[in-house]
Amino acid sequence: MTRSGTDPEIAPGDDETAAIESFRDALESVERPIVTASDVATHLAVSQSTANDLLERLVAADEVSRVDVGNDPVVFYARRWADSTRRERVVPFPDRHEIVVDHPDQFTRAQLSQFARLDTTNGNAGYVYEVRREDVWAAPHDSFSRLRSTVREVLGGEEPTFEEWMESQWNRARQFTLRTHEDGYTVLEAESDSLMGNVAREELGDEHLHAPIDDDTSWVVEGAEAEIKRLLYDTGYPVRDERDLDEGDDLDVSIHLELRPYQRDWVDRFLDAGSGVLVGPAGSGKTVAALGVVAALELETLVLVPSRELAGQWHEELLRHTDLAPADVGEYHGGTKDVRPVTIATYQIASMDRHRGLFDSRRWGLIVYDEAHQVPAPVNRLTTDLQGRHRLGLTASPVREDDLERDIYTLIGPPIGTDWDALFEAGFVEEPAVEIRYVPWRDEAAKSEYGDASRHRQRQLAATNPAKIDAVRDALAERPDANALVFVEYLDQGDALAEALDVPFISGETPHAERASLFQAFRRGDLETLIVSRVGDEGIDLPNAELGIVASGLGGSRRQGTQRAGRTMRPSGNAEVVVLATQGSREEDFALQQMHHLASKGVPVTERTLAD
């Protein structure tokens, strides 16, 4: 409604809630996170003086901050809403393809997850969802009208600009299709001869397409399907893969577990799409959901994993949670080579030419890619040529420093995920507290050596700062009853910590049998502390880890930071991650960079400088 300067909603004596609502209405109207007094006056149809009074009241109440930008008008932005109002509020920003939501309920989150991705949260009540073209392409709807209905339900009405852009993206995802010709070879079909000539033929070469069959259909070079999908995806045209691949041999299997609601949603969305990548935090039960997919399809399955330890864990999970007999499950890697109706193999083995014939000869109905962010690597991507009717990827973080995360979805399938913050709130996954601790140098001599060293040497010196030994000991002493993992990058540092703390150190040099025995002792509670190198970053299931201490490795990827913190993300316990960064070194920036992804997911990240 139109308001005046005497409107009781913004009268000087009124409560702060009405004033905040007025301010929020002004933010929504200008579609910016900041406003001027003139913006507020125009939106509320009040005088400049009345608008200034309103804003000054909110500044005095610590609800709004003001910034004087010199000769430009003073701008105002919101500080917090949680103490002022608890109602859900959805504000779309069509030009930025973003939706800002305060206090979203579970239903709203579920609806948003169908066409948007949680980008950031302020850790309090505000959430920023990004609608990417990839999210629209992969939306689990059979028509755009159904997707539009979901969008309108979330936004509370029509949003023409948003809807027009989403419809254009929806249509782009339905312009090219790979099909099996009646003579058995693969063809690429376009929705028009213009698309085939101006897009496909421009982007693809003779190594991808033979001569055209007709104006909108081309014969595909055998083995070029994955590259065609990647190249057209990069151009903005995802390809539907409707080839008549072998269904795979039947497998009689059922699961003993009751899936959580979001896990059931993952399974249903995968079955609708036929392929996809489950994206969720460690501890959210992606493996259990994958078992649900295996039971739903009832087809022979190949599971690809990065390590023998993870192969063993999959073997145990399959026998524990399904009615498969031991004779139905095999492992194929450097330790054993046993192909069964359900086979777990390492990426390394499955990529080797001398083993590929064996895997190709089996009629796999499902191929599971665990730690799917590894698939785009040059060697691992060879496994995507293996024939399987359905492809399922699992990853906690698809982020790659080489920007090849898009290849995960072109090689396997579209992302299928759940709002991390919703899992924290519902209690399915423990929300860890992360603290970055800045550790001083041991002495001036160590600090000087760092200053005189090369860039590479500086990284090593900061990572292995001897003062971190006491910092690790202090962190462990603060949680004497916690099961703790200490992560290191350098073997010498791992050995030094193991000697100082009198605890085992597991690295890539540790024999597999000894490694498995130590991990099992940690799971049983016989060992309270383990020091691990990168072998602990991915896939190892240590559900009783309550404390993670990152002693070094901050020069690694954002994904690595997420994985290490993820070792403590489980449904129960008091999870905590302590990140040690040498004060005055580049580790300070690396620590913030690694933890930014977690912070954007709603995980609280704090900082503290340790005393000299």
Side-chain angles (χ1 to χ4, degrees), residues 162-179:
F162 228 144
E163 293 175 14
E164 181 179 347
W165 174 79
M166 294 180 72
E167 185 172 14
S168 70
Q169 293 303 321
W170 175 272
N171 291 333
R172 287 179 76 93
R174 284 147 184 84
Q175 300 301 310
F176 290 99
T177 305
L178 286 172
R179 298 191 191 278

Side-chain angles (χ1 to χ4, degrees), residues 524-535:
R524 291 195 307 264
D526 297 337
L527 275 175
E528 291 185 347
T529 303
L530 272 179
I531 302 168
V532 293
S533 67
R534 289 194 177 195
V535 298

Side-chain angles (χ1 to χ4, degrees), residues 236-294:
Y237 290 94
V239 179
R240 291 182 294 176
D241 193 342
E242 298 183 1
R243 290 175 290 165
D244 297 330
L245 300 177
D246 288 340
E247 283 294 334
D249 291 328
D250 291 339
L251 177 70
D252 186 12
V253 58
S254 60
I255 188 172
H256 302 318
L257 290 172
E258 183 71 27
L259 298 183
R260 297 168 180 167
Y262 67 87
Q263 291 171 328
R264 171 51 56 191
D265 176 61
W266 284 349
V267 173
D268 291 343
R269 289 167 63 181
F270 175 84
L271 296 177
D272 287 341
S275 62
V277 181
L278 303 187
V279 182
S284 58
K286 296 183 294 296
T287 301
V288 170
L291 297 182
V293 170
V294 173

Side-chain angles (χ1 to χ4, degrees), residues 13 24 26 41 74 95 134 139 167 171 281 299 311 315 374 406 504 587:
R24 295 174 66 144
V74 174
D95 292 339
E134 293 85 356
E167 185 172 14
N171 291 333
L299 297 171
H315 199 144
Q374 296 201 9
R406 65 185 184 279
E587 277 196 332

Side-chain angles (χ1 to χ4, degrees), residues 80-100:
R80 55 188 172 87
W81 302 117
D83 297 334
S84 310
T85 177
R86 295 296 303 177
R87 77 176 179 89
E88 178 180 275
R89 186 181 182 89
V90 180
V91 182
F93 293 88
D95 292 339
R96 300 204 307 263
H97 305 151
E98 289 181 351
I99 300 172
V100 179

Side-chain angles (χ1 to χ4, degrees), residues 24-42:
R24 295 174 66 144
D25 287 340
L27 286 176
E28 183 174 349
S29 70
V30 300
E31 292 194 353
R32 293 196 310 269
I34 60 174
V35 291
T36 64
S38 294
D39 291 329
V40 175
T42 299

